[in-house]
């Protein structure tokens, strides 16, 4: 049982680690999450491995294509790490962006001893690279599953401004475990996509409270879509990452059967609920409408009372 | 897209020993600057790819002012620009020099 025992409220003195995860750039997150000066980047920006597609659309490139991959140390232990820059094209997956993550995961599979951290911050596939981006998602998922089958934990951290949507949401769902902050959102179709396709009566993307209680970190934690609820600080995500690497479940047939059982139970239990508030009420929350306003500590205490994520699953 | 390139004389070599840094992000109204220590000590080159066309004179003025004040000798700057204002450009260039000279960014 993962989240119940986690206390990531330790005092951190350095300003960098208590700074906001949401506000930080991908490079700042990597730098502040890992042990000081331990990060070594693969295929750095100086190599200029940029998208072959963006110039066709007369769009500006970024030297790292919005994906940073490399290795470093977390609490003294070596890890492989990937981070998406959510401000560059919404952190979207393109050909190069995806290939860097696929390569990192394949290396992790072959080495079979270094855990992988993925710092998600993405709206999904980059529209300008549609098919190449979709292929990248498929390759990443295959590489991720092979990595997990090799006994390597792959832990996702979600707390950036672009959330974790589209193919990114699918990849996150394949991870060994996830940590999410209140600001983080996890889903496949984002609010605007749902509204565009099904109308404002189905889902009002301008209703921020609705968006957050449907896709936000608190809801994902309560229904077992993420194992750990993190505070919006680098320090909190660091503790969550260390904890989840240690406690990530292995992947085998019985894990998949448990996950299938867990998801079937979830539909049975909540399938008729019209809103997240109904789900929280049926989970046993006395005042579900107060949950969005709860502080980090209050929410963690409540979530641990209401529901323990099941770690025989995933 | 427009490609611009400026090469200026710098009076002094940029301090420090770091070989490269990157700052910023390519987003609306923002830019990334990759600084590399690859030139002779008295040279400074700025290579720009920008989404906003027709601002060559402004770029030239901002770059000339920057080289005059910071004297980033030996550095080549490569910029991907998402349409940043001149003040943002000046701040990012200064941030890149601070970073490669070893100051905290």
């Amino acid at each position: 049982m993962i989240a119940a025992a986690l206390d990531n409220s330790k005092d951190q003195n350095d300003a960098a680690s208590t700074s906001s995860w949401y506000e930080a750039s991908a490079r700042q997150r990597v730098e502040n999450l890992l042990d000081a000066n331990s990060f070594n980047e693969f295929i750095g920006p100086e190599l200029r491995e940029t998208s072959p597609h963006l110039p066709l659309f007369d769009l500006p490139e970024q030297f790292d294509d919005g994906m940073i991959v490399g290795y470093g140390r977390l609490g003294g232990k070596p890890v492989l790490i990937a981070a998406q820059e959510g401000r560059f094209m919404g952190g979207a997956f393109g050909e190069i962006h995806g290939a860097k993550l696929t390569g990192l995961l394949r290396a992790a599979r072959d080495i079979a001893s270094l855990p992988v951290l993925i710092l998600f911050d993405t709206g999904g596939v980059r529209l300008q690279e549609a098919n190449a981006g979709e292929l990248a998602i498929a390759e990443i998922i295959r590489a991720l599953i092979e990595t997990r089958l090799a006994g390597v934990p792959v832990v996702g951290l979600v707390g950036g401004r672009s959330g974790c949507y589209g193919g990114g949401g699918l990849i996150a769902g394949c991870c060994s475990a996830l940590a999410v902050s209140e600001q983080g959102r996890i889903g496949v179709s984002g609010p605007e996509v749902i509204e565009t396709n099904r109308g404002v009566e189905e889902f009002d993307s301008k209703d921020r409270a609705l968006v957050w209680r449907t896709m936000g970190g608190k809801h994902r934690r309560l229904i077992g879509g993420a194992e750990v609820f993190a505070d919006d600080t680098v320090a909190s995500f660091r503790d969550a990452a260390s904890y989840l690497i240690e406690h990530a479940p292995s992947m085998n047939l019985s894990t998949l059967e448990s996950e299938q059982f867990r998801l079937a139970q979830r539909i049975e239990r909540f399938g008729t609920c019209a809103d997240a508030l109904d789900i929280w009420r049926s989970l046993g929350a006395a005042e579900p409408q107060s949950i969005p306003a709860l502080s980090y500590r209050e929410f963690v205490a409540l979530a641990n009372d209401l529901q323990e994520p099941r770690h025989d699953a995933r | 897209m427009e490609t611009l390139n400026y090469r200026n004389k710098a009076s002094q070599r940029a301090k420090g020993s770091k070989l490269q840094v990157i700052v910023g992000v390519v987003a609306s109204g923002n830019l990334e600057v990759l600084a590399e220590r690859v030139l002779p000590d008295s040279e400074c080159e700025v290579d720009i790819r920008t989404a906003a066309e027709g601002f060559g004179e402004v770029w030239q003025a901002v770059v000339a002012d920057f080289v005059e004040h910071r004297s980033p000798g030996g550095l080549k700057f490569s910029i991907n620009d998402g349409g940043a204002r001149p003040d943002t450009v000046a701040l990012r260039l200064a941030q890149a020099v601070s970073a490669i000279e070893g100051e905290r960014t």
Side-chain angles (χ1 to χ4, degrees), chain A residues 146-168:
Chain A
E146 288 175 354
T147 304
R148 289 190 60 194
L149 286 172
V152 175
V154 181
V155 170
L157 308 179
V158 182
R161 64 187 63 219
S162 294
C164 183
Y165 284 112

Side-chain angles (χ1 to χ4, degrees), chain B residues 10 80 91 93:
Chain B
N80 283 318
L91 283 168
L93 284 167

Side-chain angles (χ1 to χ4, degrees), chain A residues 69-92:
Chain A
V69 293
Y71 73 97
R73 288 182 177 273
L74 184 73
K77 296 175 186 162
V79 294
L80 295 169
I81 188 167
Q84 296 180 286
E85 177 48 69
R87 294 174 302 173
F88 174 62
M89 306 208 77

Side-chain angles (χ1 to χ4, degrees), chain A residues 181-236:
Chain A
S181 65
E182 180 167 18
Q183 290 82 351
R185 286 139 290 146
I186 305 172
V188 177
S189 297
E192 288 80 6
V193 176
I194 300 172
E195 184 182 323
T196 305
N197 282 285
R198 303 278 301 185
V200 70
E201 285 173 10
E202 173 74 17
F203 200 80
D204 181 357
S205 67
K206 305 280 186 303
D207 185 342
R208 310 313 285 170
L210 173 68
V211 170
W212 252 264
R213 73 175 181 264
T214 308
M215 302 168 172
K218 283 179 171 168
H219 182 57
R220 291 303 182 213
R221 164 65 184 85
L222 286 175
I223 63 167
E227 282 70 17
V228 168
F229 184 74
D231 203 2
D232 178 39
T233 63
V234 176
S236 187

Side-chain angles (χ1 to χ4, degrees), chain A residues 99-118:
Chain A
K100 288 169 83 172
L101 179 52
T102 302
L104 187 81
L105 288 164
R106 286 181 182 162
R109 173 199 64 191
D110 293 348
I111 296 166
S113 60
L114 301 180
V116 184
L117 293 175
I118 304 177

